[in-house]
Amino acid sequence: DAKTTQPPSMDCAEGRAANLPCNHSTISGNEYVYWYRQIHSQGPQYIIHGLKNNETNEMASLIITEDRKSSTLILPHATLRDTAVYYCIVRLLYGGSQGNLIFGKGTKLSVKP
Amino acid sequence: DAGVTQSPTHLIKTRGQQVTLRCSPKSGHDTVSWYQQALGQGPQFIFQYYEEEERQRGNFPDRFSGHQFPNYSSELNVNALLLGDSALYLCASTYIGDNSYEQYFGPGTRLTVT
């Protein structure tokens, strides 16, 4: 079973920041938080991951609470192309032979004009 | 640089038949994982191949089997198809030496069992 809880759906106005929450209260000390998204009819796409520090890349920012029991993915200026299902996943960071992704149902983000 | 490719894109089979799906990993990748995604659900991990061996397996019956070739490409075989096997089958690849373990997914094969 997925170890995360996400709201099933969210709306966001185009050009505004989209803040997607995720609860992972049972996360262990050596588990990372990963975010993927899946645009309709495509395979999932990696967005970002982190352990305990906030992370930022060209796609998004990841804010992890100090107790690591929850996190928020921030899309700073959402566009219509960001409409997708967003998955929050916790997993161990090993080499490729371990720690495959356990997906929940994710959050369906709808960006509206 | 080609990403992960899968074939065929769509497939229709009848209950009881067997099916083979194919995946070519992203250039430079040596590890391939397969996922099943039912409608409205997140992808579910089937198994992973590295060095031509199955390294990890999810909660799927033995009807699901796979293979990895020396060029790192992979096949997923499903025997005795059931209606419940209808799903999007996703292949993901990565390089085992990559510390971020970012998986790259293909577009998937849509299997319909009638």
Side-chain angles (χ1 to χ4, degrees), chain B residues 8-113:
Chain B
T9 54
H10 294 86
L11 201 54
I12 299 174
K13 290 285 189 179
T14 304
R15 276 179 300 176
Q17 286 188 318
Q18 179 263 346
V19 68
T20 297
L21 310 181
R22 296 176 175 83
C23 171
S24 291
K26 180 179 169 64
S27 178
H29 286 184
D30 56 7
T31 303
V32 173
S33 299
W34 287 92
Y35 292 80
Q36 180 196 66
Q37 186 173 24
L39 201 60
Q41 305 294 317
Q44 301 299 305
F45 172 68
I46 302 175
F47 44 52
Q48 181 188 61
Y49 277 83
Y50 171 65
E51 292 187 330
E52 302 179 47
E53 292 188 4
E54 183 182 295
R55 298 288 178 159
Q56 270 190 294
R57 189 179 184 92
N59 188 26
F60 279 79
D62 292 344
R63 298 187 298 109
F64 290 77
S65 63
H67 189 78
Q68 185 179 35
F69 300 93
N71 68 352
Y72 308 117
S73 67
S74 177
E75 289 182 348
L76 164 66
N77 301 292
V78 187
N79 295 321
L81 284 167
L82 304 174
L83 294 179
D85 295 331
S86 294
L88 180 68
Y89 287 85
L90 294 160
C91 170
S93 73
T94 192
Y95 170 60
I96 198 169
D98 181 359
N99 289 332
S100 74
Y101 193 46
E102 173 185 343
Q103 292 203 36
Y104 290 79
F105 283 82
T109 294
R110 174 72 63 185
L111 173 65
T112 301
V113 182

Side-chain angles (χ1 to χ4, degrees), chain A residues 9-10 22 26 38 44 46 51 54 64 77 98 104-105 110 113:
Chain A
S9 64
M10 292 182 63
C22 179
T26 61
Q38 188 172 23
Y46 166 84
L51 181 62
N54 297 338
I64 302 174
H77 306 287
Q98 300 184 51
K105 292 189 176 182
S110 298

Side-chain angles (χ1 to χ4, degrees), chain A residues 3-22:
Chain A
K3 299 174 65 175
T4 62
T5 303
Q6 300 177 252
S9 64
M10 292 182 63
D11 290 340
C12 178
E14 188 178 20
R16 304 297 294 269
N19 297 281
L20 292 95
C22 179

